[in-house]
Amino acid sequence: MKKAPRFSRQRKKTESESFPPLRLPAVDKDFSVVCIGASAGGLESVTRMLKHLPPDTGMAFVLVQHLDPSHESAMASLLSSATKMRVAEARANEQLLPNCVYIIPPNKLMELSGMKLKLFPRKQSVNDRAPVDWFMRSAAEALGTRTIGIVLSGTGTDGTQGLLAIKAAGGITFAESPRTAKYPGMPGSAVTAGCVDFVLTPEKIARELKPLSRRARPAIEDGDEGESGSSEQRGFEAILLLLRQRHGVDFTYYKHATLRRRIHRRMVLNKLDSLKDYAAHLRSHPAETKELFNDILIHVTGFFRDAMVFQTLRKKLLPRLIRNKAPEDPLRIWIPGCSTGEEVYSIAILLLEFMSERKVHHPVQIFGTDINDLALERARAGLYSEGVVSDISPDRLRRFFFKTDGGYRVNKTVREMCIFARQNLVNDPPFSNLDLISCRNVLIYLGPALQRKVMPVFHYALRENGLLMLGASETIGGYADLFALVDSKAKVYVKKGVQVRPAVTFAHGVIEPPMVREHKVAAQAPAAPTITDVQKQADRIILANYSLPGVVINKQMEVLQFRGRTGPFLEHFHGEASLHLLKMAREGLGLELRAAVTKAIKQNTRVRHEGARVKQNGHTLECNIEIIPFSPPPATERFYLVMFETVLPEVEAGRSRLKKETVVSKVRENAEVIHLREDLAATRESLQAIIEEQEATNEELRSANEEIMSSNEELQSTNEELETAKEELQSTNEELTTLNDELESRNGELERVNNDLHNLLASVNIPILILDADVRIRRFTGLAEKLFKLIPSDIGRPITDINLPLEIPSLGKLVLEVFDTLTPKDFELQDKQGHWWSVRVRPYKTTDRKIDGAVLALVDIDNMKTGIERLAKAREVVEAMVNAVREPVLMLDRHLTVTSANAPFYRMFKVTPEEVLNRPVYDLDDRQWDIAPLRKQLDNVLLRRSGFEDFAIEYDFPRAGRKRILINARFVDQESDQLIILAINEAN
């Protein structure tokens, strides 16, 4: 007897049993996990894949299949014979090991936490219907780029959302080719959703998995980007440059860790090991650049994602938004980074439900924008697979969606509320006067520089008291002066009013299409320096040279920053507060300080002034002043570091001794010195007078300057208003561009529908007239054109004004009656040539169930009417022949119901036509004809389509008495019916 494989279902195991201790060499803890989803027909596909897998891939395999919850599974036993890897049912809290296959137990849900399997009982919820999605999502969250997803044969759409999550996390996805799958539902849904990297047979999937085992982790860890001059860094920068050139989007300031994960995923798919090689591959394969661009922009989204947020939106935010709105005031909402549109439609559905409950109505404009054209096309179509709409309640599905061959489509009422357009959140002008911005899980992809640029844009776009809704992992950062928190759990903020509007910058001029922009690389203008940038540059200078007290000033001599203890040299004086350097200088320091700073500004050079004296607390302090110009990169504006150096007492004492010796040596020049001192005193007095006059002049100039500043403020206010008007015009232009894009998309869709309708009407071989509400001809088929002798100019004319060759009595009245009663009309008529037509008039219903005309269709029934007439004549001939025969005769249809009988039959059995006609033969004469031998003979006639002769029956009939009769039967096959003719003779 063959021994059962270990860990198969042939051996009974306890609940806590897992794999036995493995005596293996040390394994890589960062191995990949392959998530396999399958349903009907999945056993065959999994077996084929495992047979072609080597036993040493270094990966763990987890099979999630739709199993019968009430029966024990034999999957482990069946798969054990297909591979040398260990195969077993998963156990709770079991640690995954490489080169092993784990199978979900029956009646369980499974997820991955860390590297351990968690099992949960099924509770008849939505997740029970999608166990593959449930497990794959948890694996993607736990392992990221080390996750590989495979969807094999099965019915339904389970696995589609799971593969989307794996792809968004940077993993690799496979699907069995729907052409070869026994049940193509699951792999076909995943392929249609666009989340599959490889569509292969199970055998080819196995061959692709082996090389992936050594490439399934990032080649460069997050944050380890290498030196800026390294080849890998240059390769990374070259990739970003190619994306910017070919798609017009600069990813330089996006989160580099996310970018590297996406790039590595594409490297794995293309079997490349370095960023430099991948950059060269992009240059020679432009299509790969588009694939990378779409990969970077992939987002995991869904309908009504995060139910708590939508509950807050419905109960708290929407009432707040419409509280003070007039019925004619529009409600404007913007969803940047809308991806494939699920959140946009979710908010639209929520608004419709809310306004229906409150019995209010407001015009609604919902703008969904993204830079991914492929995602926008799917959003505009509004078509989603059954797996995508699994989170929507049945009631919402019935009210706001309709079933199509490809899944579910959002109905026209919801789609007309939503406008989708391509927009770069960072560069393109925003919308304006918005009530709500829902920017969830977009900021997490942007670096700090872009976040600082986006927040003022949001503040500008919102109207007063407008709301900003962010994702669970996002905050407003350092912009608490622009937004106030409304709800901490839902991350909702309200716009604050500010006295000085924050600077809003975006690309000016005409908005270029992507095909024009892809060949232009915009030069990045240097950002305005902040106080932090100035401080860092000053720190480097001081720490490297002096570490002395000083201040940082600009060209206007305004102090921007104090460094060290500057009290001995600078102080605030009585009166209006000022940070002007000269106004803060202590007594005695002003002249020397003014001269030194002025020289440094004019000559843009380093200036040092020694021996300056400053009065402090009744005594004089000698100091040196040094001014150093500098410019913090990348700005060109210059700043000045002013430093004060106190002269040491020892040096001052030495100088005093030198002065005394000098005086002694010049005793003979004493008289001349006295004269010079007198001249100096006179000069000082004169200088003091000049200074006083200068100060008076300065006061006058200050007064004039204040007036000029007042005028300048007015001009600045006017300029801000003009700037605001300009920005509003740019925002309006962006909205018009958005509407134009939407109209172009709608026009394309309308053209396709018209083409479909034109081809449909051309291929229908039925005369059809489509009339509007005024009974005017709107459209007609080619056969109707020939039948009614219409010409193209008849479109738009009332049908009653046209002399139709086919006379339909009271046609106008008939159509108006259909309008009023909404009841279709059907009748038959014969034209002048004797041709028969079936006329059908139906109401013309629009997609929103409004009656907007009628459809008149004529069906050719001439052959049918002719056949019926021939059949009636044939029946009359047969009945005449039957009545002419002297023997009793019965005619039966294929159901053995009497259709005709002659007079001898009525006389022989003493019955009336009312008791015989249209009754089953076995019910005649109180079921006296229900004779078993006769029943058998008649059944054989119908079966063999033949007859019988001289079938003898002797029976007591209640009215006719005992009779012995002979019955002959013949089967007659007519065009539209089958008959049995019974001829009866009385035996002697």
Side-chain angles (χ1 to χ4, degrees):
M1 181 176 178
K2 186 178 179 179
K3 187 177 180 180
R6 296 182 67 189
F7 308 107
S8 71
R9 293 296 299 181
Q10 295 179 12
R11 183 171 63 86
K12 187 67 176 178
K13 295 178 285 187
T14 62
E15 185 66 25
S16 60
E17 182 180 358
S18 180
F19 290 133
L22 298 177
R23 295 180 179 178
L24 297 174
V27 296
D28 186 356
K29 295 182 180 179
D30 295 332
F31 57 86
S32 299
V33 175
V34 181
C35 310
I36 307 170
S39 180
L43 175 61
E44 178 183 349
S45 298
V46 175
T47 303
R48 289 163 56 192
M49 186 183 75
L50 291 179
K51 283 183 177 180
H52 289 78
L53 271 176
D56 58 347
T57 60
M59 302 176 178
F61 297 84
V62 181
L63 172 61
V64 181
Q65 194 173 20
H66 297 168
L67 302 174
D68 188 336
S70 59
H71 290 83
E72 189 175 1
S73 172
M75 287 292 294
S77 174
L78 296 173
L79 295 179
S80 294
S81 59
T83 178
K84 295 181 180 180
M85 291 187 287
R86 301 174 181 272
V87 182
E89 271 191 5
R91 300 300 175 191
N93 297 317
E94 185 165 12
Q95 182 79 27
L96 289 184
L97 295 174
N99 303 322
C100 298
V101 181
Y102 302 82
I103 303 173
I104 186 173
N107 202 26
K108 297 287 185 182
L109 287 176
M110 185 165 63
E111 70 176 27
L112 190 63
S113 177
M115 292 299 284
K116 290 186 177 181
L117 296 173
K118 303 291 184 181
L119 300 179
F120 305 95
R122 300 181 65 172
K123 297 181 179 179
Q124 300 302 321
S125 63
V126 175
N127 297 322
D128 290 358
R129 300 194 294 271
V132 180
D133 286 336
W134 179 264
F135 180 77
M136 286 185 174
R137 284 171 176 169
S138 68
E141 183 177 353
L143 303 178
T145 58
R146 292 189 287 116
T147 315
I148 299 174
I150 303 175
V151 171
L152 301 176
S153 171
T155 58
T157 61
D158 192 13
T160 300
Q161 292 302 301
L163 291 189
L164 279 170
I166 290 175
K167 188 172 182 179
I172 311 299
T173 57
F174 294 84
E176 184 176 359
S177 174
R179 296 181 179 180
T180 61
K182 189 174 183 180
Y183 295 92
M186 285 174 58
S189 173
V191 172
T192 303
C195 58
V196 179
D197 296 315
F198 296 101
V199 182
L200 304 169
T201 62
E203 293 83 0
K204 291 183 179 179
I205 292 175
R207 285 197 290 270
E208 288 291 336
L209 286 177
K210 178 61 177 175
L212 287 180
S213 62
R214 61 186 179 85
R215 289 191 175 97
R217 71 175 62 97
I220 301 176
E221 299 295 334
D222 296 347
D224 183 18
E225 300 179 3
E227 298 179 1
S228 59
S230 69
S231 61
E232 288 297 289
Q233 180 64 15
R234 288 195 298 270
F236 179 71
E237 294 171 354
I239 292 170
L240 298 187
L241 178 62
L242 286 170
L243 288 170
R244 188 170 65 213
Q245 290 175 339
R246 293 178 179 176
H247 294 279
V249 179
D250 186 2
F251 291 104
T252 303
Y253 297 105
Y254 280 59
K255 294 286 182 64
H256 282 198
T258 302
L259 294 176
R260 286 175 179 271
R261 283 196 296 270
R262 300 283 189 236
I263 292 172
H264 171 74
R265 208 186 85 84
R266 297 305 308 175
M267 289 168 57
V268 171
L269 296 177
N270 288 279
K271 299 179 175 61
L272 298 171
D273 294 321
S274 71
L275 292 172
K276 181 180 178 182
D277 294 341
Y278 185 60
H281 182 74
L282 288 178
R283 293 188 188 96
S284 58
H285 297 80
E288 176 62 21
T289 311
K290 184 176 181 180
E291 293 294 333
L292 175 61
F293 179 76
N294 292 329
D295 247 24
I296 290 175
L297 298 178
I298 187 173
H299 300 294
V300 178
T301 184
F303 285 97
F304 299 96
R305 185 166 49 111
D306 197 343
M308 182 273 296
V309 173
F310 280 91
Q311 187 175 6
T312 303
L313 181 62
R314 183 171 190 163
K315 292 184 177 180
K316 294 176 59 177
L317 305 184
L318 292 182
R320 177 173 180 161
L321 292 178
I322 68 169
R323 186 176 302 155
N324 298 319
K325 276 188 178 294
E328 65 275 7
D329 291 343
L331 191 64
R332 293 165 58 86
I333 300 173
W334 179 25
I335 298 93
C338 68
S339 189
T340 48
E342 286 90 333
E343 183 172 357
V344 178
Y345 289 128
S346 298
I347 293 178
I349 290 171
L350 197 70
L351 268 173
L352 289 174
E353 292 176 339
F354 176 80
M355 290 191 294
S356 176
E357 290 176 0
R358 297 293 183 97
K359 294 184 169 65
V360 297
H361 178 74
H362 293 277
V364 177
Q365 291 177 316
I366 304 179
F367 304 98
T369 62
D370 204 288
I371 57 177
N372 190 340
D373 293 313
L374 184 63
L376 289 175
E377 286 299 321
R378 293 188 59 195
R380 289 191 185 102
L383 180 62
Y384 301 95
S385 67
E386 294 182 6
V388 175
V389 300
S390 60
D391 294 331
I392 301 177
S393 65
D395 180 62
R396 282 174 172 163
L397 205 60
R398 177 182 56 81
R399 290 179 58 191
F400 304 108
F401 295 80
F402 59 90
K403 189 77 168 65
T404 66
D405 294 338
Y408 287 89
R409 186 186 294 275
V410 182
N411 67 24
K412 187 177 180 181
T413 303
V414 179
R415 282 189 284 125
E416 286 181 345
M417 297 169 58
C418 307
I419 299 172
F420 296 94
R422 190 182 196 277
Q423 184 193 45
N424 190 322
L425 177 61
V426 178
N427 294 331
D428 294 337
F431 301 98
S432 59
N433 295 322
L434 298 170
D435 296 281
L436 172 67
I437 297 176
S438 177
C439 183
R440 299 200 297 150
N441 300 327
V442 175
L443 299 181
I444 58 176
Y445 297 99
L446 306 181
L450 294 184
Q451 292 185 15
R452 287 197 299 267
K453 192 172 183 180
V454 165
M455 280 301 171
V457 171
F458 288 161
H459 187 273
Y460 162 78
L462 288 170
R463 68 172 73 215
E464 185 179 357
N465 296 322
L467 299 177
L468 172 64
M469 190 161 59
L470 301 179
S473 302
E474 298 170 336
T475 64
I476 59 172
Y479 288 92
D481 56 328
L482 301 182
F483 298 97
L485 184 64
V486 173
D487 190 294
S488 58
K489 292 184 178 180
K491 291 298 180 68
V492 179
Y493 301 84
V494 64
K495 175 182 177 179
K496 281 184 178 181
V498 293
Q499 294 181 350
V500 179
R501 192 182 63 177
V504 179
T505 58
F506 41 79
H508 297 280
V510 179
I511 300 174
E512 298 176 340
M515 294 302 294
V516 177
R517 285 201 296 256
E518 70 176 4
H519 299 294
K520 297 183 179 181
V521 181
Q524 299 291 329
T530 64
I531 296 300
T532 304
D533 298 327
V534 176
Q535 177 181 351
K536 289 180 179 179
Q537 184 71 3
D539 285 341
R540 284 192 289 269
I541 295 173
I542 291 177
L543 293 175
N545 296 280
Y546 300 100
S547 297
L548 297 175
V551 292
V552 178
I553 63 173
N554 56 18
K555 281 188 176 182
Q556 290 74 34
M557 298 189 189
E558 294 177 347
V559 177
L560 303 179
Q561 185 187 18
F562 294 91
R563 305 191 58 81
R565 299 182 61 185
T566 59
F569 314 101
L570 305 174
E571 67 174 345
H572 290 283
F573 290 95
H574 177 74
E576 183 180 355
S578 174
L579 288 177
H580 196 278
L581 178 65
L582 299 182
K583 290 184 178 181
M584 298 180 64
R586 286 185 176 272
E587 185 179 358
L589 191 61
L591 293 176
E592 289 86 348
L593 187 58
R594 179 193 296 270
V597 173
T598 302
K599 182 178 180 181
I601 292 175
K602 288 183 177 181
Q603 298 181 4
N604 193 25
T605 184
R606 185 169 181 168
V607 175
R608 181 177 178 85
H609 179 79
E610 297 183 351
R613 292 181 176 272
V614 56
K615 292 183 178 180
Q616 181 184 28
N617 298 329
H619 63 276
T620 302
L621 178 67
E622 187 175 350
C623 66
N624 300 327
I625 304 172
E626 188 162 2
I627 299 96
I628 303 176
F630 67 94
S631 296
T636 58
E637 182 181 358
R638 301 200 69 80
F639 299 88
Y640 304 89
L641 179 62
V642 182
M643 293 178 292
F644 303 98
E645 179 183 11
T646 304
V647 177
L648 297 176
E650 292 80 3
V651 177
E652 187 175 355
R655 288 183 177 178
S656 299
R657 287 193 297 271
L658 290 174
K659 288 181 180 180
K660 289 180 181 180
E661 294 174 359
T662 303
V663 172
V664 173
S665 65
K666 295 183 179 181
V667 173
R668 288 173 295 179
E669 300 177 4
N670 189 34
E672 186 178 353
V673 171
I674 293 173
H675 177 70
L676 290 175
R677 286 179 178 176
E678 290 175 354
D679 289 344
L680 179 59
T683 303
R684 286 180 175 176
E685 290 177 1
S686 177
L687 179 60
Q688 184 64 31
I690 293 173
I691 290 174
E692 290 175 358
E693 290 177 4
Q694 182 67 30
E695 289 179 350
T697 303
N698 287 342
E699 289 294 333
E700 294 176 1
L701 291 175
R702 186 178 296 108
S703 176
N705 183 57
E706 289 176 356
E707 294 179 2
I708 294 173
M709 289 181 63
S710 177
S711 301
N712 184 56
E713 289 176 357
E714 294 179 2
L715 292 174
Q716 182 68 23
S717 176
T718 303
N719 183 56
E720 289 182 358
E721 292 176 2
L722 292 175
E723 185 68 22
T724 300
K726 181 181 179 181
E727 292 172 356
E728 290 178 355
L729 286 175
Q730 287 179 309
S731 296
T732 304
N733 182 54
E734 176 69 17
E735 291 187 25
L736 291 175
T737 304
T738 300
L739 289 172
N740 184 56
D741 292 343
E742 186 69 15
L743 287 175
E744 287 183 359
S745 175
R746 297 283 173 86
N747 287 339
E749 183 178 352
L750 182 61
E751 184 178 357
R752 289 192 297 272
V753 172
N754 282 333
N755 291 334
D756 293 344
L757 181 60
H758 177 75
N759 285 276
L760 176 63
L761 292 177
S763 62
V764 172
N765 195 26
I766 298 175
I768 298 176
L769 286 176
I770 300 177
L771 310 176
D772 63 13
D774 296 326
V775 201
R776 296 178 183 271
I777 298 176
R778 181 183 293 170
R779 192 186 292 267
F780 50 78
T781 62
L783 201 58
E785 182 180 4
K786 295 178 181 178
L787 178 65
F788 295 111
K789 298 187 180 340
L790 299 174
I791 58 177
S793 61
D794 287 334
I795 294 177
R797 294 180 60 190
I799 188 67
T800 53
D801 292 353
I802 299 176
N803 187 16
L804 300 176
L806 181 63
E807 295 182 0
I808 302 176
S810 305
L811 178 59
K813 182 180 179 181
L814 181 66
V815 173
L816 293 175
E817 186 178 350
V818 171
F819 289 166
D820 295 336
T821 62
L822 305 181
T823 303
K825 298 291 184 180
D826 295 311
F827 59 92
E828 299 175 356
L829 61 82
Q830 194 173 20
D831 61 17
K832 296 177 181 179
Q833 289 77 30
H835 203 87
W836 282 96
W837 300 90
S838 174
V839 182
R840 303 173 183 177
V841 185
R842 298 287 188 273
Y844 181 97
K845 294 182 180 180
T846 63
T847 55
D848 52 355
R849 299 186 179 276
K850 293 181 180 179
I851 304 301
D852 191 32
V855 179
L856 175 66
L858 283 81
V859 179
D860 188 352
I861 60 171
D862 190 67
N863 291 334
M864 183 181 69
K865 295 287 288 188
T866 304
I868 292 175
E869 290 177 358
R870 287 201 303 266
L871 180 62
K873 291 179 180 178
R875 184 179 291 276
E876 289 176 1
V877 171
V878 172
E879 289 181 355
M881 294 174 62
V882 169
N883 289 327
V885 175
R886 294 183 178 182
E887 290 82 6
V889 176
L890 278 179
M891 291 180 62
L892 310 179
D893 63 12
R894 59 181 175 178
H895 302 296
L896 301 181
T897 299
V898 179
T899 60
S900 180
N902 63 357
F905 179 84
Y906 296 134
R907 288 195 300 269
M908 176 181 286
F909 294 100
K910 299 178 181 181
V911 292
T912 63
E914 291 78 11
E915 296 173 330
V916 174
L917 296 179
N918 299 321
R919 300 184 64 182
V921 66
Y922 302 129
D923 291 349
L924 298 181
D925 205 2
D926 295 330
R927 301 190 65 84
Q928 295 303 314
W929 288 78
D930 190 4
I931 304 170
L934 178 61
R935 181 185 289 272
K936 183 177 179 181
Q937 289 293 333
L938 293 177
D939 290 342
N940 286 333
V941 169
L942 290 174
L943 180 63
R944 298 175 182 176
R945 305 167 72 87
S946 62
F948 59 83
E949 295 181 355
D950 297 333
F951 177 69
I953 294 177
E954 187 173 356
Y955 199 77
D956 288 327
F957 293 96
R959 300 181 186 179
R962 187 171 187 85
K963 289 185 179 292
R964 187 173 183 272
I965 58 177
L966 297 176
I967 302 176
N968 295 311
R970 291 291 182 270
F971 180 85
V972 180
D973 191 358
Q974 294 183 335
E975 292 182 2
S976 60
D977 200 0
Q978 297 171 344
L979 298 176
I980 299 176
I981 300 177
L982 300 180
I984 304 171
N985 294 319
E986 190 170 2
N988 295 327

